[in-house]
Amino acid sequence: MENVWGKVLEEAAPGVGNMDLSWMMHFWESFTDCVIELDVQHYITNIRYKADNNFVMTDIAGKSFLDIAAEKDVESVADHLNQLKTAALPYLRFQFLSRFGRYYRWTLIPFYEQEVYSGCHGVAVDVTEQTIKEITLNWQNAVIEEGRDFVRIFDMEGRALYTNPGVYKMIGYDPALEAPSSERIYTPEHYETVYGEGMKEVKEHGFWIGRGELIRLDGTLIPIEHTMFSIKDDQDEVILIATIIRDITVFLEHEKKLEEARKAAEAANIAKSEFLSRMSHEIRTPMNAVIGMINIGLDTEDVDRKNYCLMRADNAAKHLLGLINDVLDMSKIEADKFELSYSVFDFEMALKNIANIANIRTEEKQLDFIVNIGHDVPAFILCDEMRLSQVITNLLTNAIKFTPEKGTVVLSIEKMEEIGEEIVLRIEVADTGIGISQEQQGRLFTSFNQANGNISQKYGGTGLGLAISKRIVEFMGGKIWMESELDKGSKFIFTLKTKKTEGKSNTKLYRKIDLRKMRILAVDDSEETREYFTHAMEALKLHCDVASDGHQAVRMVQDAVDNPYNIFFIDWKMPNMDGIELTQKIKEINGDNSIVIMISASDWNAVEKEAVAAGVNHFIPKPLFPSTLINAINICMGVELCESVEGAQDDASNQCYDFNNHNILIAEDIEINREIMSAILEETGVSIEYAEDGMAAVSLFSAAPGRYDLILMDINMPEMNGYEATRNIRALDLAEAKHIPIIAMTANVFKEDIEKCIASGMNDHTGKPIDANELFEKLNRYL
């Protein structure tokens, strides 16, 4: 044991190993922080510590030695204790963090009774400060040695005394080679700044920071932040200069993004301000027309004049409603409350409805308006018909607006791909209008923006249409983009994901028509229309020739006397020889056997009398659709058609509703709205009673529940709103109260508004302003 203590003591304090054991124990008590005894299970049987230190281990007497160690070191300490039991080591020295938050270096010496391990004695020295310094130095060394920053220490003569590995990482040089000089790796501008301004600042003030660039081995430049500071000795004399260089590429990118975000925010604020200014103008203009035309109508006794004023006021009011709908749509989108409503519908019929709306403006501007539908585009698709129509209508409206008179607008639909039940459609609106510059294109699909400020002054509009269209297309799983050059027209293109459905078009060529003998000549001065006929007839497997004017057509008819054409599609308005004159010449050459179908964007009434006299057999409007062409050929070939989808829908739209034997209760607090409802429902013959608020509605119904077949319920009313009134009616102890249909009639049209109506006990919802056809359909369904 004495030899062991001597060895331990010699290691701790060389030269004192010959002292006796009692003095040695006194030595340990004087120069250590703790003396400890452990039993064979390493439980603490005795512990002595210095009274004047912060040692706080007295509470562990009688506990396991492992209780001293912090949790992370317990396993390591247990391993050390096990080594003592083997007698393989005369003593053991190790260090760990105590659970009191301090570091101790322990020396444990085993003792034996009759060569059996009986425990150990030990001492501890508090090495917390020393350990923390070592950890700090290791950490600092790791930061400098392992970091990617460039660190160099120079003497006062400018010689590099230390260069860290980060230098090589940053500039791409081989660490095995001598570190490159500052002159080699600094750009000339930065070198001049460092050794001029920088060194002067460091010597005078102890610190300098600047920005510049480093030259990598491959010649690329790195943006840097360069810091230099002085290192002083105990006499406060500058003896060294340290330089730290940091690559700020990522920082500058973030800085650039922040600057771009700031500019974008400022631009958005400016755009919103401009938008509010435009909206003020856009709303006041139709409002002025509505109020002005009503006042004019009130001041005249001329019925035609009154009707004219009402028509103009109606158009202005509808335009105003369109503006309001745009704002509401944008609000829904920005509030993340915009949703689609999918259903199966006749795609071609939807396109016809869109074309009918666009035709009014194309005819006014004498534009050539063409609709191209690929032969493999399905007749019926699953989609949100209203929102899809909204996007196409918006793109067509813009194309027509920005295309000068006698230009061309083409709507094209084709199938891009088909994967299982899903298909992708490509829809394009092309025009020969003013075009859009590259710089302007970047702003088009953002909210509240137009291509430039002059657009709104010259053409009007809110600047919301394309932003709304973009979001709708994205909701449908597609994308939208444009292709345009200034003064060379534009193409707006979007894709659409949809699904095939079982619906099939009822418009087919009659099976008894001999396609091999059918010869068709299409005459139109529009190249796009001629191309349309070529592709459309090819899809139908019909032979079709085209002519660009009347004179060419006459020559072709004369050359084909031996094998004459059966059917002629002739445009009404053509230069040099119009469709009427050409029809007369064809009849002179071929006789009455030639079937002439006149096509025009103009109304048939404007030309009917003269056309029939010339021998025209049939008329179809532009833009042309495959089903329209098929129906025209079938009719002119003497085929009796079955009722088509188009006819069925037309009948539905013209249907007269008869509710003579029904009585409805309308809860509406605004007098003018009650007058409007009376006027709308007058033609149906339905009996109406009014309640001026929700409380009155509940009272009237509870007094005579069997009198009413249906209730139209406004939402925002005094005394009692529509929700409360509905709940009160449903709560009545009457059989009729549980079953009577209640339809919300309100300007609150968001999805959550409709859901709230249903949750209160209503059956359905119709929005204000009232769409008469929608209201009639709902009444018909419930009555």
Side-chain angles (χ1 to χ4, degrees), residues 88-158:
L89 298 173
Y91 69 93
L92 195 62
R93 181 174 290 148
F94 56 92
Q95 179 177 315
F96 61 85
L97 176 66
S98 78
R99 66 183 179 87
F100 310 109
R102 301 188 69 79
Y103 289 91
Y104 292 95
R105 182 178 296 123
W106 290 88
T107 302
L108 298 180
I109 302 174
F111 62 87
Y112 303 87
E113 292 180 5
Q114 298 179 356
E115 298 184 356
V116 177
Y117 177 70
S118 301
C120 58
H121 298 152
V123 294
V125 179
D126 188 334
V127 292
T128 301
E129 291 183 11
Q130 177 185 343
T131 303
I132 290 175
K133 285 180 180 178
E134 290 174 357
I135 292 171
T136 303
L137 287 172
N138 290 337
W139 175 80
Q140 290 172 343
N141 182 65
V143 170
I144 294 172
E145 291 292 317
E146 303 300 327
R148 301 192 67 85
D149 287 348
F150 180 134
V151 180
R152 260 185 176 175
I153 308 294
F154 295 91
D155 64 17
M156 298 309 293
E157 304 301 320

Side-chain angles (χ1 to χ4, degrees), residues 304-508:
D304 291 338
R305 181 73 169 162
K306 281 184 182 291
N307 289 339
Y308 170 80
C309 291
L310 289 173
M311 181 186 69
R312 295 298 299 272
D314 180 62
N315 289 337
K318 288 175 179 175
H319 175 66
L320 180 60
L321 181 60
L323 296 176
I324 294 170
N325 285 337
D326 277 353
V327 175
L328 290 176
D329 281 346
M330 202 68 235
S331 299
K332 288 182 197 175
I333 288 169
E334 293 197 338
D336 200 23
K337 293 180 179 178
F338 190 90
E339 294 190 2
L340 300 177
S341 177
Y342 283 86
S343 62
V344 176
F345 64 93
D346 186 328
F347 189 30
E348 186 178 313
M349 181 58 63
L351 293 173
K352 284 184 181 180
N353 293 334
I354 294 168
N356 288 338
I357 296 170
N359 259 345
I360 299 169
R361 288 289 290 129
T362 57
E363 189 175 349
E364 286 176 3
K365 298 182 74 172
Q366 301 179 55
L367 301 179
D368 195 8
F369 179 29
I370 297 160
V371 179
N372 286 323
I373 305 176
H375 69 276
D376 55 352
V377 172
F380 287 79
I381 62 172
L382 176 66
C383 190
D384 187 324
E385 179 180 4
M386 184 184 77
R387 294 304 182 184
L388 176 58
S389 298
Q390 181 180 349
V391 174
I392 298 174
T393 300
N394 182 268
L395 297 182
L396 281 174
T397 300
N398 286 342
I400 294 165
K401 182 191 296 184
F402 299 120
T403 300
E405 289 191 356
K406 297 185 178 179
T408 302
V409 174
V410 181
L411 169 62
S412 302
I413 300 96
E414 63 180 69
K415 185 172 75 173
M416 288 182 63
E417 60 180 339
E418 181 175 335
I419 305 171
E421 292 297 310
E422 186 176 81
I423 59 172
V424 178
L425 298 179
R426 182 184 187 275
I427 301 176
E428 174 185 295
V429 175
D431 64 62
T432 57
I434 61 175
I436 303 169
S437 69
Q438 289 295 320
E439 187 272 330
Q440 293 168 345
Q441 290 178 30
R443 298 196 299 267
L444 274 186
F445 290 104
T446 56
S447 304
F448 315 115
N449 272 297
Q450 292 180 316
N452 61 60
N454 297 327
I455 293 292
S456 62
Q457 296 175 18
K458 185 173 181 180
Y459 297 100
T462 63
L464 289 176
L466 288 176
I468 293 169
S469 297
K470 180 176 183 290
R471 296 301 293 273
I472 291 174
V473 168
E474 289 171 348
F475 277 126
M476 291 179 174
K479 63 178 182 177
I480 187 169
W481 69 97
M482 71 167 303
E483 299 169 2
S484 181
E485 288 185 47
L486 209 56
D487 300 322
K488 293 186 178 180
S490 303
K491 290 181 180 178
F492 282 83
I493 308 153
F494 70 93
T495 57
L496 166 71
K497 286 184 179 179
T498 183
K499 289 185 178 180
K500 293 188 298 182
T501 65
E502 295 300 321
K504 294 182 180 180
S505 175
N506 290 330
T507 49
K508 295 180 180 179

